[in-house]
């Protein structure tokens, strides 16, 4: 049975996220996490018996952190455009490593069914959390449109996080968010 020190476990998963961001999924090993955390050999494997368990724990921790951030964000009154702008801007700048790590995990999930299952469950949770946030904020986006909104947010997040560091500005992010929320062209007339 793995050790039950939740603070150490969180510290290891937080370090795993940083290793994923800096070295990619192939650079994530128990030893790399231990070295980055300044811990003796064997510590990470005591908490995570396999590399796959370490990958899953990192994915779950990223989701936990993301949901905590969104819970805090909706406590401040703001429009949907302002909320999404702030979320994407923060993710692409301050929290860039976290989202680089989740993209590494999403690509790895294409080859690891266990990780794919965990990420699918996290996606389902994101859908319910987002719907709850919309209810709390009084947004009128129909429930059936929320998956599309999440997909557009995810695509924008990938584009912004993958951009060269320092190239993302509030104006760029706000333009992207306005396109997500209001559409790119508004009302389009067809040619006769």
């Amino acid at each position: 049975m793995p050790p039950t020190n939740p603070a150490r476990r969180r510290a290891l998963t937080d370090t795993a996220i940083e290793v994923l961001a800096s070295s990619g999924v192939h650079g994530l090993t128990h030893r790399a996490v231990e070295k980055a955390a300044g811990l003796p050999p064997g510590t990470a494997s005591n908490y995570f018996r396999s590399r796959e368990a370490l990958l899953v724990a990192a994915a779950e921790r990223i989701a936990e952190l993301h949901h905590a951030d969104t819970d805090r964000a909706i406590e401040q009154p703001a429009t949907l455009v302002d909320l999404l702008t702030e979320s994407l801007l923060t993710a692409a700048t301050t929290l860039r490593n976290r989202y680089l790590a989740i993209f590494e995990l999403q690509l790895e999930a294409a080859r690891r069914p266990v990780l794919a299952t965990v990420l699918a469950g996290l996606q389902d949770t994101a859908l319910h959390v987002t719907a709850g946030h919309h209810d709390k904020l009084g947004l009128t986006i129909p429930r059936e449109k929320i998956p599309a909104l999440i997909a557009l947010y995810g695509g924008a997040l990938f584009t912004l996080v993958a951009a060269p560091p320092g190239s993302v500005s509030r104006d760029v992010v706000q333009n992207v968010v306005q396109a997500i929320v209001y559409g790119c062209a508004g009302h389009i007339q067809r040619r006769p």
Side-chain angles (χ1 to χ4, degrees):
M1 182 149 119
T4 58
N5 181 337
R8 172 67 57 91
R9 183 178 172 81
R10 261 190 319 277
L12 287 165
T13 55
D14 290 345
T15 302
I17 291 166
E18 293 302 316
V19 171
L20 279 165
S22 65
S23 302
V25 75
H26 297 293
L28 182 70
T29 64
H30 288 93
R31 184 66 196 124
V33 171
E34 293 158 351
K35 185 177 179 183
L39 296 171
T43 304
S45 61
N46 283 336
Y47 284 84
F48 309 102
R49 295 288 180 204
S50 67
R51 188 166 174 273
E52 193 163 73
L54 186 57
L55 291 167
V56 166
E60 290 170 341
R61 179 70 173 144
I62 291 168
E64 174 190 342
L65 292 167
H66 178 77
H67 293 313
D69 289 346
T70 57
D71 287 347
R72 279 189 300 279
I74 67 162
E75 292 172 3
Q76 305 298 320
T79 67
L80 181 59
V81 169
D82 291 338
L83 284 169
L84 293 178
T85 298
E86 198 57 42
S87 175
L88 284 169
L89 183 61
T90 301
T93 56
T94 309
L95 302 175
R96 185 171 186 262
N97 283 353
R98 180 191 300 172
Y99 294 98
L100 284 172
I102 197 67
F103 293 135
E104 286 282 340
L105 292 168
Q106 287 173 329
L107 291 171
E108 184 67 12
R111 294 173 290 283
R112 291 183 182 265
V114 170
L115 188 56
T117 300
V118 168
L119 289 175
L122 295 176
Q123 183 68 20
D124 291 343
T125 300
L127 181 64
H128 295 299
V129 167
T130 301
H133 288 162
H134 285 205
D135 291 345
K136 187 172 180 180
L137 293 168
L139 299 175
T140 58
I141 296 171
R143 290 258 194 248
E144 67 273 8
K145 298 287 186 184
I146 293 174
L149 181 64
I150 290 172
L152 291 168
Y153 177 93
L157 180 61
F158 180 83
T159 299
L160 294 166
V161 168
S167 67
V168 177
S169 70
R170 181 174 297 281
D171 288 341
V172 166
V173 174
Q174 193 164 36
N175 285 336
V176 169
V177 169
Q178 287 173 343
I180 290 171
V181 173
Y182 303 120
C184 290
H187 179 64
I188 300 174
Q189 293 183 350
R190 296 183 184 263
R191 292 183 190 183

